[in-house]
Amino acid sequence: MKTLFLYDIDGTLLSTGGAGRGALNEAFELLHGVPRAFSKVHFGGRTDHGIVSQAYELAGLQQADGHREALIEAYLPRLQRRLDERRPEVLPGVRALLDATDRVGHNALLTGNMEAGAHRKLRAVELWERFQLGAYGDDSPRRNDLVPVAEERARRAGLEFTQTLVLGDTVHDVACARAGGAIAVAVCTGWSTAEDLRACGPDLLIEDLESGLEGLLALVRERAATG
Ligand SMILES: [Mg+2]
């Protein structure tokens, strides 16, 4: 009775202190001459695809063929430079939780980051190797599509599981768990307030991954038993 654990990245596993936003601002200015294009874009729980589309809209620019690819090409080395200058902060309890969930299931990613960005962020804190697979912002502009994408990849990789759990820091993570029929666990270390997270009715709300570890494992055992 194994569980497929789908981890969000920003605000859940780590905090990059705005490295993604800074790199996108710089890339956008390089391509279009518009400074701080992402300053008013809301990032939390969104996919990179959706974030980029909104920046074009706010800048009053038409997103043409090839713009997205050019932006990504400019973004990735700028993200890497920021990650090299300031190592992301791994949030409390992450490594112990990954050890624990690895024993009762499979660790995977479900993130709005494009895969290349996710790779760079997690590699910066030696966490990339802890995940067997992922569903990313490249897979769909809508986060709510991503649970089935991750489950299909897990099956194709030969992983067996009887339930799926999504762990994230925003109301969008909870919505995406619901859309995919997964268990929803929300953590208060990121973008949404505890009040907002509670209001969207996750199966479990935890302060951080350290204090929430036992409760999360108990929920997994309980759901596995009641199937
Ligand atoms: Mg997040």
Side-chain angles (χ1 to χ4, degrees), residues 28 32 52-63 67 71:
F28 200 94
H32 301 297
V52 166
S53 298
Q54 199 188 351
Y56 275 93
E57 230 171 81
L58 290 174
L61 291 174
Q62 196 73 29
Q63 198 180 343
H67 271 165
L71 189 72

Side-chain angles (χ1 to χ4, degrees), residues 8-13 43-46 111 143 168-170 173 190-191:
D8 168 58
I9 296 180
D10 298 290
T12 300
L13 296 174
F43 276 47
R46 315 247 329 260
T111 171
R143 195 179 191 96
D169 66 300
T170 72
D173 297 271
W191 301 80

